[in-house]
Amino acid sequence: MNNSFGPYPIDSMIYLPGVFTPEECQQIIKIGTEHWSKTEGSIGDETWGENKKMDYSIRTTTIYTPNPNEPEQNTADANFPGHSPMKFTKSDTTTDPSNFVKHDGSVPRFKPADNQYNMKSVMPTESKGFQHWLYQKIMNEVRVANNGNEYFPGWQFNIGGILEMPQLMVYESSKNGHYEWHIDIGPYEPACRRKIAYTLILNSKEEYDGGKLLFKLEKDEHHREFYEVGGMIMFPTYLLHKVTPITRGNRYILCGWIHGDKPWQ
């Protein structure tokens, strides 16, 4: 880890092994692929101009996300042990502070931007099922990494909660699954509020070849063996990173972001 820029490791990532069990990871895959909405995750398919064409050169992946448009959708038949069915909620109103929920259920200070937009609540309102369990577990680990300890000082970002649904991403060798160099923070809502990115490894490296997660720090490309099932990688959303092409099998990950309402903090 490189702390040369100041008291906090602004260019560092954190890897925590064994955050989820292999059985929990399999259930996440099962619930995601059977109950969440499926989309083709290529970047470049919304091109401009008269001669539109599909561009798979930047990213090729399949993405599954919880569907907030179906409030009664549940996972009762997923047989997730110890958890009740989840329900998804949706907000059709313009930006509302009550839709930005902290990990403890409270609402942080939040000033809507001038260009208000529709926000979707990620916390179930009636049940504490799979979605609630997943949200809380992710937030607990991110909070520990952000606050730091005697071994890692933490980023100390001002974070509020999860504003975007988690994504189950599948990189498939049959589609040359990959993701070129990119950052996770964007210019518009809600991407501009992303502070910390997380990636959860869901399946074993024995099931695929390729799929290395690389970070560009200073002048070099840095790679660590992020392959343990249930391990979680966390990093600031402004870090440049990529996923190399899958050459055999499929790579399953759960990824998403933790958001905050204060820019540059």
Side-chain angles (χ1 to χ4, degrees):
M1 298 179 184
N2 188 339
N3 297 333
S4 60
F5 291 98
Y8 303 118
I10 61 173
D11 65 341
S12 295
M13 75 290 296
I14 283 288
Y15 174 63
L16 297 179
V19 174
F20 290 75
T21 68
E23 293 75 20
E24 290 171 338
C25 291
Q26 285 301 310
Q27 287 288 358
I28 292 172
I29 293 175
K30 176 180 175 63
I31 290 174
T33 55
E34 295 182 2
H35 297 275
W36 293 0
S37 297
K38 177 182 178 181
T39 58
E40 294 300 322
S42 62
I43 289 181
D45 51 358
E46 295 181 2
T47 54
W48 304 97
E50 297 180 357
N51 300 318
K52 298 181 179 180
K53 65 178 181 179
M54 303 291 283
D55 181 4
Y56 298 101
S57 62
I58 301 175
R59 180 180 74 183
T60 303
T61 182
T62 301
I63 298 177
Y64 298 85
T65 54
N67 186 2
N69 295 306
E70 299 180 10
E72 298 305 319
Q73 180 185 7
N74 64 66
T75 58
D77 57 342
N79 297 319
F80 193 80
H83 300 281
S84 60
M86 62 176 170
K87 291 185 178 180
F88 300 111
T89 59
K90 179 185 178 182
S91 171
D92 290 319
T93 60
T94 54
T95 304
D96 184 344
S98 65
N99 289 327
F100 194 104
V101 185
K102 282 186 176 181
H103 61 270
D104 60 2
S106 62
V107 179
R109 182 184 63 80
F110 180 76
K111 292 184 178 180
D114 293 334
N115 55 333
Q116 294 187 342
Y117 66 104
N118 288 348
M119 294 174 60
K120 299 174 182 178
S121 172
V122 299
M123 289 294 289
T125 57
E126 299 179 3
S127 66
K128 291 186 179 295
F130 171 77
Q131 187 184 0
H132 181 270
W133 167 83
L134 184 63
Y135 175 94
Q136 294 291 347
K137 196 158 187 175
I138 290 172
M139 278 303 308
N140 287 342
E141 299 300 330
V142 172
R143 187 171 64 252
V144 169
N146 188 55
N147 293 339
N149 54 31
E150 65 269 28
Y151 304 106
F152 179 74
W155 301 293
Q156 306 291 328
F157 291 136
N158 183 280
I159 57 176
I162 297 177
L163 192 57
E164 297 172 89
M165 293 287 189
Q167 298 179 348
L168 172 62
M169 299 184 71
V170 185
Y171 292 87
E172 302 162 86
S173 59
S174 61
K175 298 180 179 180
N176 190 38
H178 69 284
Y179 202 159
E180 285 299 329
W181 290 112
H182 66 284
I183 59 176
D184 284 355
I185 194 170
Y188 306 112
E189 301 279 9
C192 63
R193 301 187 186 276
R194 296 172 182 171
K195 298 294 185 69
I196 299 173
Y198 62 86
T199 295
L200 172 63
I201 307 300
L202 296 177
N203 67 321
S204 171
K205 184 64 174 68
E206 296 178 356
E207 300 178 15
Y208 62 90
D209 291 328
K212 291 183 177 180
L213 176 60
L214 303 180
F215 291 88
K216 186 175 285 294
L217 306 178
E218 298 181 353
K219 297 180 180 179
D220 302 316
E221 296 179 11
H222 291 256
H223 168 68
R224 287 179 55 187
E225 301 301 311
F226 301 122
Y227 296 138
E228 180 179 339
V229 176
M232 181 181 288
I233 308 114
M234 290 168 278
F235 55 93
T237 54
Y238 51 71
L239 282 190
L240 197 62
H241 58 288
K242 70 181 292 186
V243 176
T244 62
I246 295 288
T247 58
R248 176 186 66 87
N250 298 330
R251 175 181 184 256
Y252 291 82
I253 65 165
L254 185 79
C255 63
W257 308 274
I258 311 301
H259 304 73
D261 66 331
K262 295 181 179 180
W264 311 110
Q265 297 183 39

